[in-house]
Amino acid sequence: MTEKTSPLHSSPFHRGEQAIQSRFGVRDRMERFGSRVIRDHMPEQHQEFYSQLPFIFTGHADKDGWPWASILFNKPGFINSPNPKTLNIQTKPVSGDPLVETLKEWSLEKESLENDIRLGVLGIELTSRRRNRLAAHVINHSDDGIRLEIDQAFGNCPQYIQTRNLEMLDPSTLPQTNVKNIQIFDDEAQALISNSDTFFVASHIESDDQNENSNASEGADVSHRGGQPGFVRVDNEHTLTIPDYLGNNHFNTLGNFAENSKAGLLFIDFESGHILTLTGTVEIIWDSPETKHFEGAERLWKFHIDHGRWIHHGLPLRWKLDEYSPNSLLTGTWDEANKMAHAEAHQDEWLPYEIAEVIEESSLIKSFYLKAKDHQALKFLPGQFLTIKANINGKELIRNYSLSSAPADSLYRISVKRELSQNSKFPDGVFSNHIHQQFKVGDTLYAKAPRGGFTFNVESQRPAVLLAGGVGITPMISMARHALNELIRTRSGESLTFIGAAKDHHQRAFFDEFNDLEKASSGQIRAFWTLSDIGPTLKPGRDFHNKGRISAELLQAILPIDDYDFYLCGPAGFMQSTYDLLRKLGVSNARIQAEEFGPASLQRDADHATEAFKPGPVATEAVIEFTESKVEQSWSEGDGNLLDFAEAHGFTPEFGCRSGQCGACKTKLVSGKVAYQTEHPSTVADDEVLLCCAVPAAVEGETIVKLSLKL
């Protein structure tokens, strides 16, 4: 369906901005929002804000149409606003700044010029991360400063702004300003750009002030861009590649690029006061495989230099970094992106991780923080798990442990419950006790890339409920941490309710962490605890919220009437009883996601619309060839799945969950066909087979079928 758009002349956005808003499906929403917050004058709080600033940024286009970004500075109070439509800037541009020449030409030729100089203005306070923007035009200029008439005024969110503290030096104590023209990124420019966490970008489209349909958002713009050091890539002496992150959906900069592919970039050496100002052309890369590996990148754009200037010792200002924006910390760097692409190519290999920290989470659960060694840890979806291996008593064992960290965290974290029982087929007690007793900080363990189909959908339009029993809390804390990060990143999201069940408060993990998430999210994330045994020192409402198990009464008391996505994880009995409870309460099977490992698999009551899984026809007899060892073995219907069969004949294939969840037992299918007897979420190619849930398939006309596996 085509979105309705407002006429260009009545919209606060021009044609280029509107086109990109339509491209991403936010056109109508932004029109409604923009009409309320984008004004043709400055509100009083903006007038006061500009008056207290010691510096301000502008963007303009020179007589040849090249955009430039500039910084203007003076003692606080050098900017004043006698009325909501006027801004006076009482200072001169830095010597060597192209704005000097543009203003001079405008003053000399004002009578012959058809239009005024259009300026984009950015007021930014780096100590508070507050910023506001203006679109304006010059109505007067003298040695004392610049007078602007406001065309548009609006506020900007603080995301990606690093906080910095400013020191103003005595200009007389500094070396004389030196200007150097450049046509390429010289070594000094490459070093500054590669290490920058902040730059400013100017853009411009022609505006016809005599045309009644001219849009106030046309003209010049200047904007801030921030990220982690290394977020701008120097491709060569002429080209930069820059990620574009989630923003306010105005698309002021990209909208200008769509209409005019010229841009100006301004990099400041915050420690020395040097200025690097550049102008050139831009190409927007809407879809690039590189964005997959660059954390936070929505799209990319390239900047090709035409010319620029070094203005050495241009500023008597110095800034000291205080802290990075929380939004910047959720983004990546090009070095990380390159390592991520390399790691993805090797995701099926066992890779080493160093144990960086070990934390006691409860009387039974320990968390192990894992740092990738000489490689980049792959990003994962909240709820997924790591497959790890260990040599125990001369035998290599493999297990899966849910990640309890968030995808944006710098380290993997697995939280392992020490099992007290040891089942012969699933000897979790052997593995978990080995980890608890033997693994310490500095040790190395080997793991495969995260995987698993039990994942949290942060983009769902429904609120989420996380129901955890015991150690089933581990994927839930990952989901909740990710929900908070997305709330910070996008400034929106549905509510999330966590309900954890434990035997007592000694066995309850992540209590303080969930409370911290609740505070940080301003109640968007809520945490409730139900304990079987209540100690005499525990206070209801603070230390616990319910005694006993998760019940219908508890859910109805906590959850307002709504349509929820439910996520379950815990022991087999907890999973089944909680699933059955939700179904009795009318929750559809499709709304219930669950982590199902081996014996914890659910018996689901499928919805009528859900197509039940149908096992494939099974061969009566088969000859199975293991091509790596050149061995053939006879298989019959009672020999079970291919994993059991291989183990019974002395082979030790890798495995994890034994239920098709983790994909660890995936093996090359050289020839023949298999039939799956249990439903599995793992993606399997035509030339692959999951050993744990497959058997030789019946082939019409063949009494004894043949199957070849690379094992």
Side-chain angles (χ1 to χ4, degrees):
M1 184 173 66
T2 304
E3 286 193 285
K4 294 181 289 184
T5 58
S6 302
L8 285 174
H9 65 274
S10 64
S11 172
F13 303 105
H14 64 64
R15 181 175 60 189
E17 294 163 335
Q18 290 191 20
I20 298 178
Q21 290 167 3
S22 295
R23 181 187 186 107
F24 293 106
V26 298
R27 176 74 197 97
D28 285 346
R29 175 162 61 91
M30 293 312 300
E31 190 66 34
R32 292 191 297 270
F33 176 76
S35 64
R36 293 195 300 269
V37 302
I38 300 176
R39 306 172 177 88
D40 64 356
H41 64 279
M42 291 178 290
E44 185 176 348
Q45 61 175 334
H46 285 203
Q47 291 177 269
E48 295 173 353
F49 170 73
Y50 288 111
S51 69
Q52 67 187 19
L53 296 178
F55 58 87
I56 199 168
F57 294 91
T58 67
H60 81 284
D62 65 20
K63 63 182 179 61
D64 296 317
W66 291 109
W68 298 92
S70 305
I71 179 171
L72 304 175
F73 64 91
N74 211 328
K75 293 180 180 179
F78 81 103
I79 303 172
N80 65 79
S81 175
N83 59 68
K85 287 288 289 183
T86 305
L87 195 73
N88 295 322
I89 305 174
Q90 295 175 310
T91 192
K92 293 188 290 188
V94 174
S95 177
D97 190 311
L99 182 58
V100 174
E101 297 147 37
T102 299
L103 290 172
K104 182 178 181 181
E105 291 164 355
W106 179 79
S107 297
L108 293 174
E109 304 176 21
K110 182 177 180 181
E111 297 301 323
S112 63
L113 293 175
E114 294 183 2
N115 302 318
D116 290 328
I117 299 176
R118 299 292 287 264
L119 282 188
V121 177
L122 169 65
I124 187 167
E125 191 173 61
L126 296 183
T127 53
S128 66
R129 301 175 57 232
R130 185 182 173 193
R131 59 174 164 172
N132 290 304
R133 299 259 287 279
L134 297 173
H137 59 275
V138 178
I139 56 176
N140 191 22
H141 165 252
S142 67
D143 289 341
D144 295 328
I146 307 168
R147 172 167 290 190
L148 302 177
E149 182 173 324
I150 307 307
D151 299 311
Q152 282 189 338
F154 56 96
N156 263 178
C157 59
Q159 58 184 351
Y160 311 114
I161 300 175
Q162 337 306 352
T163 56
R164 283 184 157 87
N165 297 314
L166 173 66
E167 179 185 5
M168 300 191 74
L169 306 181
D170 181 353
S172 65
T173 64
L174 301 177
Q176 186 175 355
T177 299
N178 176 49
V179 180
K180 174 186 174 184
N181 293 317
I182 59 174
Q183 281 75 44
I184 63 171
F185 302 121
D186 57 23
D187 291 344
E188 186 182 9
Q190 292 188 36
L192 174 61
I193 294 169
S194 297
N195 291 296
S196 291
D197 58 52
T198 299
F199 73 92
F200 301 88
V201 53
S203 54
H204 176 265
I205 64 171
E206 292 296 334
S207 174
D208 183 1
D209 292 337
Q210 308 304 315
N211 187 341
E212 65 176 7
N213 290 325
S214 178
N215 194 294
S217 65
E218 295 172 354
D221 177 67
V222 64
S223 182
H224 164 279
R225 290 292 187 271
Q228 297 199 60
F231 81 112
V232 180
R233 185 178 71 195
V234 180
D235 296 335
N236 51 54
E237 292 181 336
H238 300 277
T239 302
L240 308 176
T241 299
I242 301 164
D244 193 66
Y245 302 139
L246 181 70
N248 58 16
N249 290 324
H250 285 204
F251 294 112
N252 303 124
T253 301
L254 293 188
N256 283 355
F257 289 169
E259 295 292 299
N260 176 15
S261 62
K262 292 180 179 179
L265 307 188
L266 177 70
F267 290 88
I268 295 175
D269 188 328
F270 292 113
E271 296 180 357
S272 68
H274 300 329
I275 296 172
L276 177 64
T277 184
L278 311 163
T279 193
T281 57
V282 164
E283 56 178 314
I284 304 173
I285 306 174
W286 297 110
D287 299 297
S288 169
E290 291 188 295
T291 58
K292 175 184 178 183
H293 301 115
F294 197 111
E295 188 67 24
E298 301 277 313
R299 61 201 69 84
L300 305 174
W301 52 280
K302 288 185 178 290
F303 174 82
H304 307 285
I305 185 174
D306 187 271
H307 56 290
R309 291 177 184 175
W310 268 112
I311 306 176
H312 292 105
H313 310 294
L315 296 173
L317 310 177
R318 303 292 184 268
W319 290 266
K320 184 178 180 181
L321 179 66
D322 180 20
E323 62 180 3
Y324 289 105
S325 160
N327 299 81
S328 295
L329 294 176
L330 294 174
T331 64
T333 67
W334 283 107
D335 181 58
E336 291 174 351
N338 293 335
K339 290 180 179 178
M340 196 74 70
H342 181 267
E344 187 174 271
H346 298 271
Q347 62 181 333
D348 290 329
E349 299 176 9
W350 291 103
L351 296 173
Y353 293 84
E354 180 183 338
I355 299 178
E357 189 176 7
V358 180
I359 299 292
E360 295 267 1
E361 303 289 1
S362 74
S363 60
L364 293 177
I365 297 175
K366 277 186 179 180
S367 283
F368 298 83
Y369 290 78
L370 310 178
K371 180 180 179 181
K373 296 178 68 174
D374 302 321
H375 64 91
Q376 179 69 37
L378 283 171
K379 294 298 181 184
F380 60 93
L381 298 175
Q384 290 189 309
F385 55 83
L386 277 185
T387 301
I388 67 174
K389 69 177 180 179
N391 191 298
I392 304 175
N393 299 325
K395 185 177 181 181
E396 188 176 87
L397 297 180
I398 299 172
R399 292 293 180 271
N400 299 314
Y401 289 104
S402 296
L403 285 152
S404 56
S405 51
D409 293 345
S410 58
L411 301 178
Y412 285 156
R413 180 178 69 176
I414 57 172
S415 301
V416 180
K417 178 186 176 184
R418 180 170 55 87
E419 298 291 344
L420 302 179
S421 63
Q422 298 181 18
N423 180 288
S424 59
K425 192 168 186 179
F426 300 96
D428 296 316
V430 172
F431 203 96
S432 66
N433 277 278
H434 178 80
I435 291 178
H436 272 247
Q437 296 167 9
Q438 302 299 323
F439 279 61
K440 60 184 182 300
V441 172
D443 287 349
T444 298
L445 62 77
Y446 285 83
K448 286 194 172 181
R451 62 189 73 198
F454 178 61
T455 59
F456 182 65
N457 180 14
V458 75
E459 296 181 356
S460 174
Q461 300 300 306
R462 293 178 293 274
V465 181
L466 313 181
L467 302 173
V471 76
I473 196 173
T474 55
M476 304 309 193
I477 188 66
S478 175
M479 294 177 181
R481 287 174 60 84
H482 181 65
L484 176 62
N485 287 340
E486 287 299 289
L487 186 63
I488 293 172
R489 189 178 74 89
T490 66
R491 308 182 303 284
S492 64
E494 296 296 328
S495 65
L496 182 147
T497 303
F498 164 78
I499 305 174
K503 181 180 179 181
D504 54 40
H505 72 286
H506 298 294
Q507 295 189 19
R508 174 184 57 194
F510 306 117
F511 177 77
D512 291 335
E513 193 166 333
F514 266 109
N515 288 341
D516 290 342
L517 292 174
E518 187 166 2
K519 291 177 183 176
S521 68
S522 300
Q524 188 87 348
I525 298 171
R526 302 185 301 158
F528 298 90
W529 303 89
T530 179
L531 305 177
S532 298
D533 298 330
I534 305 297
T537 62
L538 301 186
K539 292 186 177 180
R542 184 193 69 181
D543 300 313
F544 71 98
H545 303 86
N546 183 65
K547 181 178 180 180
R549 299 181 177 182
I550 294 176
S551 63
E553 293 75 18
L554 178 63
L555 294 179
Q556 290 168 337
I558 290 175
L559 302 175
I561 296 175
D562 207 337
D563 184 17
Y564 295 94
D565 288 329
F566 288 89
Y567 296 83
L568 311 183
C569 190
F574 168 86
M575 296 267 283
Q576 194 64 56
S577 63
T578 307
Y579 173 84
D580 294 341
L581 170 63
L582 293 175
R583 294 293 280 142
K584 288 179 181 178
L585 290 173
V587 179
S588 69
N589 179 62
R591 290 282 188 271
I592 305 173
Q593 309 301 318
E595 180 65 290
E596 304 175 47
F597 281 136
S601 296
L602 285 176
Q603 295 296 317
R604 285 181 174 265
D605 175 20
D607 299 324
H608 294 299
T610 302
E611 184 178 346
F613 171 78
K614 296 179 180 179
V618 182
T620 304
E621 293 183 83
V623 174
I624 299 179
E625 177 189 17
F626 300 106
T627 60
E628 293 291 287
S629 56
K630 299 180 180 178
V631 171
E632 288 185 330
Q633 295 289 343
S634 175
W635 177 92
S636 60
E637 197 170 359
D639 287 333
N641 62 51
L642 295 174
L643 178 58
D644 291 339
F645 180 75
E647 291 176 327
H649 288 83
F651 293 92
T652 57
E654 294 178 3
F655 69 90
C657 63
R658 304 188 82 101
S659 63
Q661 301 289 315
C662 69
C665 65
K666 191 183 296 183
T667 303
K668 186 79 171 179
L669 178 63
V670 180
S671 64
K673 295 182 178 181
V674 297
Y676 289 97
Q677 299 305 287
T678 57
E679 191 172 8
H680 60 85
S682 297
T683 302
V684 185
D686 292 340
D687 61 346
E688 295 175 330
V689 58
L690 284 173
L691 296 176
C692 69
C693 42
V695 295
V699 179
E700 187 175 354
E702 296 185 21
T703 304
I704 301 176
V705 301
K706 186 169 183 178
L707 191 67
S708 294
L709 303 173
K710 188 177 181 180
L711 199 68

